[in-house]
Amino acid sequence: LAAIYFVKKGGLAVMAGGEVKADGKFSGGKEEHHLSSGEYIGAALLSAKTRPLWENTLLADGRADGKSAKTELLCISVKDLKEILGNNLAKMLETALVNKGLRMCPVMS
């Protein structure tokens, strides 16, 4: 990953294990996490001194169960994000995530 990928629509399953077969279908593995609209992946790049090793497979919603679903991603390179928002992106994204959680919490809103 050389960018941050934001889920605009649909979702992504983060799969551990398994494999992509020659026909393009995914087999085996276990869903470790699910990303929904508004969530992102790739933030580890922001604070890492070296590029982290990625060992998972991302599946757009619908791929694992044969249904057709449309997932849309917004891809922004880390370089472009730093040009726009400055060098402390990890802290900025963490703050944004906390603020989003607080806005969604019925006790706080």
Side-chain angles (χ1 to χ4, degrees):
L1 297 173
I4 306 256
Y5 296 85
F6 295 89
V7 180
K8 289 178 60 177
K9 181 178 174 184
L12 293 173
V14 180
M15 306 297 291
E19 64 181 327
V20 178
K21 301 287 187 176
D23 62 2
K25 293 185 180 177
F26 184 79
S27 173
K30 175 184 170 196
E31 186 172 328
E32 293 287 313
H33 185 69
H34 190 270
L35 299 168
S36 300
S37 180
E39 295 182 294
Y40 57 88
I41 193 160
L45 289 171
L46 303 177
S47 58
K49 301 275 188 244
T50 60
R51 183 171 290 196
L53 181 61
W54 181 261
E55 296 180 345
N56 296 351
T57 301
L58 297 174
L59 297 178
D61 280 354
R63 291 283 306 270
D65 59 11
K67 295 179 186 174
S68 65
K70 189 169 186 171
T71 297
E72 292 180 19
L73 302 177
L74 171 65
C75 173
I76 304 176
S77 74
V78 171
K79 179 182 176 255
D80 288 344
L81 276 172
K82 286 183 177 180
E83 281 181 26
I84 296 166
L85 302 173
N87 285 324
N88 199 2
L89 291 176
K91 181 66 175 166
M92 182 174 278
L93 287 173
E94 181 180 310
T95 300
L97 181 63
V98 169
N99 287 337
K100 180 181 178 183
L102 288 174
R103 282 192 306 273
M104 293 174 68
C105 178
V107 174
M108 300 301 286
S109 53

